[in-house]
């Protein structure tokens, strides 16, 4: 029997890649793409996928009536919860929307899932909930047992959702799953984040802003690998468990910048501008993804050196997509497309 998935945040970067992957693989699921369309939600990410298999519902996860209505109208079986305020810099400017969506929104979804007997609920968390790692101990990585010690309002709000999920499992014995993934890159990534910002700035002939000394380390994973890991955990994960997801690909922001400049044939001196570091900028993230490999047989399939080239090429091939975002035109898409319907 075909299952119905409610995918929150489906018009964002990873959510839309997840929906795209399920459609491309011809998975036997109906997808209700539920999204508030904040500045980060973009109908252009989903437009070509909408039809019998994928239905779009505009709604706010903080609105219990809207969430319950979507679950009832479409007889939703399972929920994959991506929706979030996701940009650390914005959380430093103002944490209100982060607490609202990432904590309260998650609580609203959990309560609706409980009331409607949802058969599986997966919370897409992040490695940022663990805080930061020492740079001089490369063997130390985040495991699922690492205490949650978030350092930014963004990661604190994601940790709030993460521990709420944990508490609902222990209190109500609900069918809950959590993934904690490292930094993603790939198509449809909003150009306020490092890789798409740098690639599109260079295409526009502009400089790229590199924070601090450029030595902050992140573990980069191609978005399709993350989506595949989420699908794997949804199929075979044990309820109440969290699974780390990582690419085993630690790189400094400087190395990422060098890779992009080289691929785009731009000289460092002319195009890199060092800017003052982000306050509280975590130095190093690195994921130990042994558990998902040993328990569920998941491993990343994409290699960084080729997937970053695919990503850069995607931005070359989809100039209208990112230019509409940078000019703000994408915000008009929903109203133009759906006004009066
Ligand atoms: N991007 C990464 O590298 C990364 C890594 C690990 C985990 N994550 C997590 O994955 C999830 C998706 O991240 P992303 O990079 O795709 O984010 P994104 O900002 O690109 O997309 C978020 C989506 O959620 C929607 N949304 C926001 N508030 C909403 C609300 N109140 N109700 C309904 N929809 C709402 C937005 O409109 C947008 O479409 C987030 O939970 C994030 O914490 C991201």
């Amino acid at each position: 029997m075909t299952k119905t998935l409610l995918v929150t945040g489906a018009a964002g970067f990873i959510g839309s890649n997840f929906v795209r992957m399920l459609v491309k693989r011809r998975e036997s699921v109906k997808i209700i793409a539920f999204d508030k369309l904040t500045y980060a939600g973009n109908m252009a990410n989903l437009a070509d996928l909408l039809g019998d298999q994928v239905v779009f519902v505009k709604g706010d996860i903080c609105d219990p009536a809207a969430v319950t209505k979507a679950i009832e109208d479409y007889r939703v079986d399972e929920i994959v919860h991506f929706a979030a305020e996701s940009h650390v810099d914005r959380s430093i400017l103002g944490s209100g929307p982060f607490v609202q969506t990432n904590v309260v929104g998650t609580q609203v979804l959990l309560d609706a899932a409980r009331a409607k007997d949802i058969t599986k609920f997966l919370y897409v968390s992040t490695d940022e909930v663990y805080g930061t790692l020492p740079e001089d101990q490369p063997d130390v990585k985040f495991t699922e047992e690492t205490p949650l010690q978030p350092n930014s309002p963004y990661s604190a709000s994601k940790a709030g959702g993460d521990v709420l999920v944990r508490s609902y499992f222990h209190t109500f014995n609900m069918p809950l799953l959590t993934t904690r993934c490292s930094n993603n890159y790939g198509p449809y990534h909003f150009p306020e984040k490092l890789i798409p910002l740098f690639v599109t700035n260079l295409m526009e002939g502009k400089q790229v802003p590199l924070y601090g000394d450029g030595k902050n380390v992140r573990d980069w994973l191609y978005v399709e690998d993350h989506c595949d890991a989420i699908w794997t955990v949804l199929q075979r994960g044990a309820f109440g468990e969290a699974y780390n997801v990582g690419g085993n690909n630690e790189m400094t922001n400087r190395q990422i910048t060098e890779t992009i400049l080289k691929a785009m044939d731009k000289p460092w001196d002319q195009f890199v501008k060092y800017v003052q570091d982000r306050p509280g900028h975590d130095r190093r993230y690195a994921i130990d993804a042994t558990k998902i490999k040993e328990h569920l047989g998941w491993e990343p399939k994409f290699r960084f050196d080729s997937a970053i080239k695919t990503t850069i090429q995607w931005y070359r091939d989809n100039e209208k997509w990112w230019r509409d975002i940078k000019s703000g035109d994408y915000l008009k898409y929903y109203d133009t497309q759906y006004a009066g319907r």
Side-chain angles (χ1 to χ4, degrees):
M1 204 183 75
T2 304
K3 280 186 298 198
T4 301
L5 287 189
L6 183 81
V7 179
T8 72
F13 165 45
I14 308 175
S16 66
N17 273 285
F18 180 71
V19 174
R20 189 167 295 281
M21 181 191 79
L22 297 184
V23 170
K24 194 170 87 183
R25 289 187 185 177
R26 299 175 187 273
E27 294 291 351
S28 164
V29 283
K30 183 167 173 90
I31 298 158
I32 312 308
F34 187 92
D35 202 295
K36 183 181 174 184
L37 296 182
T38 66
Y39 80 94
N42 185 350
M43 282 306 288
N45 298 359
L46 285 175
D48 61 314
L49 301 171
L50 300 181
D52 288 345
Q53 189 183 6
V54 183
V55 174
F56 181 74
V57 175
K58 187 169 189 287
D60 186 341
I61 58 164
C62 302
D63 175 355
V67 170
T68 303
K69 184 170 184 332
I71 293 174
E72 284 175 349
D73 284 357
Y74 294 99
R75 296 166 184 256
V76 169
D77 299 298
E78 301 178 2
I79 296 177
V80 183
H81 174 28
F82 292 93
E85 288 293 336
S86 71
H87 193 39
V88 177
D89 288 343
R90 287 179 188 255
S91 79
I92 295 167
L93 294 174
S95 59
F98 286 75
V99 174
Q100 189 60 25
T101 286
N102 302 358
V103 184
V104 177
T106 301
Q107 170 251 316
V108 167
L109 279 174
L110 285 166
D111 282 341
R114 181 163 171 250
K116 294 290 155 197
D117 291 324
I118 290 298
T119 55
K120 278 183 197 177
F121 181 116
L122 187 147
Y123 176 66
V124 182
S125 191
T126 163
D127 63 350
E128 300 197 28
V129 297
Y130 295 123
T132 190
L133 287 168
E135 282 165 287
D136 55 354
Q137 292 170 266
D139 294 343
V140 180
K141 298 186 174 196
F142 298 132
T143 73
E144 290 81 355
E145 311 311 320
T146 304
L148 306 194
Q149 292 182 316
N151 290 323
S152 72
Y154 162 68
S155 53
S157 64
K158 287 297 294 184
D162 194 310
V163 293
L164 260 182
V165 169
R166 178 190 153 86
S167 76
Y168 273 59
F169 173 74
H170 286 280
T171 307
F172 304 117
N173 195 25
M174 287 171 65
L176 305 177
L177 300 153
T178 300
T179 54
R180 298 188 187 127
C181 188
S182 57
N183 279 42
N184 286 209
Y185 64 97
Y188 300 99
H189 203 180
F190 198 84
E192 68 182 349
K193 307 280 169 75
L194 189 141
I195 289 180
L197 177 71
F198 282 19
V199 171
T200 58
N201 271 14
L202 292 174
M203 286 178 71
E204 291 178 298
K206 292 186 188 157
Q207 289 189 309
V208 300
L210 188 57
Y211 279 142
D213 60 5
K215 290 188 184 156
N216 300 65
V217 178
R218 299 292 181 262
D219 176 358
W220 291 93
L221 183 74
Y222 191 56
V223 63
E224 198 172 327
D225 272 329
H226 185 191
C227 294
D228 183 53
I230 289 169
W231 185 241
T232 303
V233 172
L234 193 67
Q235 302 312 302
R236 303 200 289 280
F239 295 148
E241 295 289 321
Y243 296 89
N244 280 352
V245 180
N248 218 3
N249 181 51
E250 279 182 61
M251 293 178 84
T252 63
N253 287 344
R254 217 189 135 91
Q255 286 171 313
I256 293 281
T257 308
E258 277 162 4
T259 307
I260 295 172
L261 285 170
K262 190 162 172 244
M264 300 185 69
D265 206 13
K266 303 279 187 202
W268 179 279
D269 292 346
Q270 207 179 325
F271 283 97
V272 177
K273 182 175 180 224
Y274 282 99
V275 295
Q276 194 184 9
D277 207 354
R278 166 193 284 166
H281 201 175
D282 287 336
R283 278 310 268 185
R284 175 174 166 247
Y285 301 147
I287 280 279
D288 178 342
T290 309
K291 178 175 170 181
I292 189 170
K293 182 177 176 191
E294 290 188 351
H295 292 208
L296 308 181
W298 179 87
E299 277 187 281
K301 295 188 183 69
F302 292 87
R303 288 176 49 90
F304 182 80
D305 43 6
S306 55
I308 189 69
K309 288 187 184 135
T310 311
T311 302
I312 292 170
Q313 191 56 43
W314 188 87
Y315 288 91
R316 286 195 172 113
D317 295 343
N318 291 275
E319 221 174 302
K320 181 169 164 34
W321 180 88
W322 60 261
R323 284 196 187 277
D324 279 355
I325 292 177
K326 286 193 159 181
S327 72
D329 275 356
Y330 76 109
L331 293 169
K332 298 176 198 143
Y333 183 97
Y334 185 85
D335 289 340
T336 318
Q337 196 75 4
Y338 296 101
R341 284 197 186 181

